[in-house]
Amino acid sequence: MLLVQNNSLDPYYNLALEEYLLTNLQEDVLCLWRNRPTVVVGKNQNTLEEVNLDYVQREDIRVARRLTGGGAVYHDLGNVNYTLIIPYAQDIFGDYEKFTQPIIAFLQTLEVTATLSGRNDLCIGEQKICGNAQAVVNGRLLHHGCILFSSDLAVLTDVLRPNPAKIESKGVKSIRSRVTTILQQLEEKISVEEFCSALQAYFLQAVPDLKPYTLSTQETKAVRELARHKYASWAWQYGVSPQYSWKKCQKFAHGFLDVRMEISEGKIEQITILGDFFGLEDITELADTLRGCPHEKSAIMEILGQTSIERYIYGMTAGAFCALLV
């Protein structure tokens, strides 16, 4: 088994690295890594339904999508992620006990007792400290987990609180759990870096023939290209979200507006604008200009910036109208 060295804190690089290792290496792989503050949604989720978009934009938090299913999670530098890649066999997919047992055993060396709870979570008592997920590609199985060592739980709570009234989605929804951190359970406090080093040392001792491995310059370049073209792209983060419906109403001084949209492949497929507002032009013309536009603020504002919106909705500004759509 290869112990892949990864010091990157870039979530797009790190997720691309997982895919690269899964699809390009034949050896078994173990990798430990951390991300700068990031919301990571599951492959089958609607990003807008899971993420408090206003909050992440205000706090400069990244939004990313991973290869595996399951629910949305929050990563920061107090979160330690581990990835295991081995050949796929029918009896191991979904066997979370097999893959989490080494983590449970390691935590026991810190006098922390964790257990596998439900389908795929590690808990201390009733509180979650690690979520896990899996994917299979070309006969190889990827298992990864995110360990809450010293994560900021207040941010975690705020960042995963979208407004569900706006969206009716066909995507997989996250199940919110009570969470804690490992640091809170330790009598003798250590840093997250010390925790990572201890976890790596444990694996080196516990796993026979585990060998450190550093990517070549060519491999690193390939991972960066995959990160740039896929994982950092709007198309992957939002465009692959399942089809969903969007509805938002608001009362303005110049009238009441009710906007309803159908979003497919991340783009506005249908839009209806209702209300008791006044305008010089037919409101359906405004709706027509927005069909096919990505459901994303900058793209919508680009279109509205070229439109005399007051001719359709008297008293309305482009910014206020855009706020109804995203």
Side-chain angles (χ1 to χ4, degrees):
M1 177 176 279
L2 302 179
L3 175 60
V4 175
Q5 305 296 307
N6 179 23
N7 296 318
S8 169
L9 302 177
D10 178 355
Y12 306 127
Y13 178 91
N14 292 337
L15 291 168
L17 176 61
E18 284 194 313
E19 181 174 337
Y20 181 86
L21 297 173
L22 180 63
T23 57
N24 288 275
L25 270 61
Q26 296 305 311
E27 296 90 346
D28 294 354
V29 171
L30 167 65
C31 185
L32 304 179
W33 47 285
R34 293 189 296 155
N35 280 335
R36 57 158 292 176
T38 306
V39 181
V40 184
V41 300
K43 182 181 179 181
N44 304 310
Q45 291 192 294
N46 182 330
T47 303
L48 290 178
E49 190 177 20
E50 297 296 326
V51 179
N52 185 338
L53 201 57
D54 291 337
Y55 186 88
V56 300
Q57 291 173 346
R58 185 172 66 250
E59 300 298 326
D60 192 29
I61 295 171
R62 297 291 184 265
V63 176
R65 183 186 299 274
R66 61 181 185 266
L67 271 180
T68 58
V73 293
Y74 173 66
H75 290 183
D76 63 15
L77 296 179
N79 179 281
V80 179
N81 306 288
Y82 71 98
T83 301
L84 287 163
I85 301 173
I86 63 174
Y88 166 71
Q90 190 171 4
D91 61 340
I92 62 171
F93 183 74
D95 184 357
Y96 288 94
E97 183 175 3
K98 173 184 176 66
F99 291 94
T100 57
Q101 189 55 45
I103 304 300
I104 293 173
F106 165 69
L107 292 176
Q108 197 65 52
T109 68
L110 302 178
E111 299 184 353
V112 173
T113 300
T115 57
L116 181 64
S117 176
R119 180 183 59 172
N120 60 336
D121 293 336
L122 290 183
C123 294
I124 298 173
E126 299 295 320
Q127 295 179 297
K128 178 178 175 179
I129 51 103
C130 179
N132 295 268
Q134 295 180 348
V136 175
V137 177
N138 297 334
R140 302 258 287 163
L141 182 145
L142 179 149
H143 175 107
H144 57 190
C146 54
I147 304 170
L148 295 169
F149 176 74
S150 58
S151 298
D152 190 330
L153 300 185
V155 175
L156 183 152
T157 301
D158 288 335
V159 82
L160 297 177
R161 289 196 308 177
N163 185 346
K166 297 178 186 175
I167 302 174
E168 294 179 5
S169 174
K170 298 176 176 63
V172 176
K173 296 174 177 60
S174 294
I175 298 174
R176 308 299 177 211
S177 305
R178 292 179 62 201
V179 294
T180 188
T181 66
I182 292 169
L183 184 61
Q184 290 175 302
Q185 314 300 318
L186 298 179
E187 288 191 13
E188 294 187 16
K189 306 303 183 185
I190 60 175
S191 68
V192 65
E193 290 81 9
E194 290 171 319
F195 178 82
C196 285
S197 296
L199 179 57
Q200 178 168 302
Y202 176 84
F203 274 116
L204 284 168
Q205 180 183 19
V207 179
D209 301 321
L210 181 61
K211 301 175 182 178
Y213 180 83
T214 301
L215 266 65
S216 68
T217 301
Q218 184 176 358
E219 288 175 320
T220 300
K221 181 180 178 181
V223 174
R224 287 177 177 161
E225 285 295 300
L226 181 60
R228 184 165 65 91
H229 290 296
K230 179 175 180 178
Y231 285 93
S233 72
W234 179 91
W236 175 250
Q237 294 165 20
Y238 295 91
V240 301
S241 291
Q243 184 175 353
Y244 59 95
S245 301
W246 174 280
K247 178 180 179 180
K248 190 173 181 182
C249 307
Q250 189 169 340
K251 175 69 174 176
F252 296 90
H254 45 271
F256 177 80
L257 264 79
D258 178 350
V259 177
R260 306 179 188 192
M261 297 187 294
E262 295 295 326
I263 313 298
S264 180
E265 297 182 352
K267 296 181 179 180
I268 300 171
E269 188 174 74
Q270 295 292 334
I271 176 170
T272 303
I273 306 167
L274 306 169
D276 61 0
F277 53 88
F278 295 102
L280 295 171
E281 306 290 347
D282 188 342
I283 195 65
T284 59
E285 293 179 6
L286 177 60
D288 289 342
T289 66
L290 291 165
R291 289 193 180 93
C293 177
H295 190 203
E296 187 268 328
K297 183 176 181 179
S298 62
I300 292 172
M301 280 300 295
E302 183 177 352
I303 291 175
L304 295 180
Q306 302 171 14
T307 304
S308 298
I309 194 165
E310 267 207 310
R311 296 187 63 82
Y312 299 99
I313 306 170
Y314 181 74
M316 180 61 69
T317 66
F321 185 67
C322 182
L324 285 170
L325 306 184
V326 292

